[in-house]
Amino acid sequence: EIVMTQSPATLSVSPGERATLYCRASQRIGSNLAWYQQKPGQPPRLLIYAASTRATGISAKFSGSGSGTQFTLTISGLQSEDFAVYYCQQYSTWPPGTFGQGTKVEIK
Amino acid sequence: EVQLVESGGGLVQPGGSLRLSCAASGFTFSSYWMSWVRQAPGKGLEWMATIKQDGSEKYYVDSVKGRFTVSRDNAKNSLYVQMNSLRAEDTAVYYCARPIVVIAHGIYNWYFDLWGRGTLVTVSS
């Protein structure tokens, strides 16, 4: 069974700085990876699919890269509304829709 | 407005049953696969079940197979999940979600482009 591992678990970043989040798959998944943002008390929001394609209405400050087993989400110019938990999710192998454990981006 | 609204959550005893509903609006419900995703308190996200547009195919995570049944009523733009033999570990917020389905390595897979706000299910005596 595929395992998605996100790092770090918590990332402390100052407003205006850039945050880099990592997601590693235990087996190759091509570019079949999505990223979500979840704020407290809210549902997840799709940010990125196909590893690097921004979803509709998502700011260009969010960018995704990677393929195979190593993926990155970069958030530039962090603002207060960007502090949240971010999840990666693979959609390549069974079981479907496997999520990582999340990275919390907090204010430094 | 495109939205999903869940209902039916609450407190239930271990071994009990509960039926969740999800009302869809703002898009052609019958054209989309639909899913349930859950999140235990303070934990990550877990895909739980997915149903095809006409209900002819259903997929479940192993931990709920045989206990939970997903269904839909396209005439009512509604998605359901019947949850039986509930356990403490089923305690979670249950989200209705719209999957974007892809075929990878010959099997269906998905990510989610639309989510409801969720409904909390608590299994406790």
Side-chain angles (χ1 to χ4, degrees):
Chain A
E1 181 172 316
I2 191 168
V3 176
M4 305 300 293
T5 302
Q6 291 186 241
S7 61
T10 303
L11 185 60
S12 298
V13 184
S14 299
E17 291 189 341
R18 181 172 64 186
T20 302
L21 289 64
Y22 301 95
C23 177
R24 177 172 52 88
S26 61
Q27 53 188 273
R28 296 183 65 84
I29 60 171
S31 296
N32 295 315
L33 186 98
W35 288 95
Y36 302 84
Q37 176 194 65
Q38 186 178 32
K39 298 178 183 179
Q42 295 187 19
R45 178 174 68 143
L46 177 66
L47 298 176
I48 300 282
Y49 63 94
S52 61
T53 303
R54 279 188 299 277
T56 302
I58 300 302
S59 167
K61 70 189 307 180
F62 295 96
S63 63
S65 64
S67 66
T69 61
Q70 304 278 356
F71 301 86
T72 302
L73 174 70
T74 301
I75 313 168
S76 60
L78 273 158
Q79 298 178 313
S80 57
E81 61 265 28
D82 302 323
F83 292 96
V85 179
Y86 292 83
Y87 294 96
C88 64
Q89 180 231 320
Q90 69 85 20
Y91 52 96
S92 177
T93 67
W94 196 266
T98 311
F99 292 88
Q101 81 280 15
T103 290
K104 181 180 181 180
V105 178
E106 64 176 24
I107 300 175
K108 187 174 182 180
Chain B
E1 180 187 4
V2 177
Q3 65 176 355
L4 301 168
V5 179
E6 303 90 339
S7 60
L11 176 63
V12 61
Q13 292 188 339
S17 298
L18 207 59
R19 188 194 194 210
L20 306 183
S21 300
C22 169
S25 59
F27 65 98
T28 306
F29 180 75
S30 59
S31 296
Y32 287 87
W33 294 61
M34 291 299 297
S35 296
W36 290 98
V37 178
R38 64 184 181 179
Q39 185 171 35
K43 301 296 184 183
L45 299 161
E46 179 185 44
W47 165 76
M48 195 180 79
T50 294
I51 184 170
K52 198 176 182 181
Q53 293 95 327
D54 60 359
S56 62
E57 296 184 45
K58 303 176 184 182
Y59 300 90
Y60 300 92
V61 69
D62 284 348
S63 59
V64 307
K65 277 181 186 175
R67 300 189 300 125
F68 292 9
T69 302
V70 62
S71 62
R72 64 192 296 162
D73 185 337
N74 287 340
K76 295 183 177 180
N77 291 333
S78 293
L79 175 72
Y80 308 99
V81 61
Q82 176 67 41
M83 303 188 296
N84 300 328
S85 302
L86 282 160
R87 307 165 180 166
E89 54 264 36
D90 295 318
T91 294
V93 174
Y94 285 74
Y95 294 104
C96 173
R98 187 176 73 181
I100 300 301
V101 178
V102 302
I103 296 179
H105 304 295
I107 63 169
Y108 291 121
N109 217 313
W110 37 73
Y111 60 95
F112 307 98
D113 74 334
L114 179 65
W115 298 69
R117 296 196 66 84
T119 187
L120 176 62
V121 173
T122 303
V123 184
S124 174
S125 55

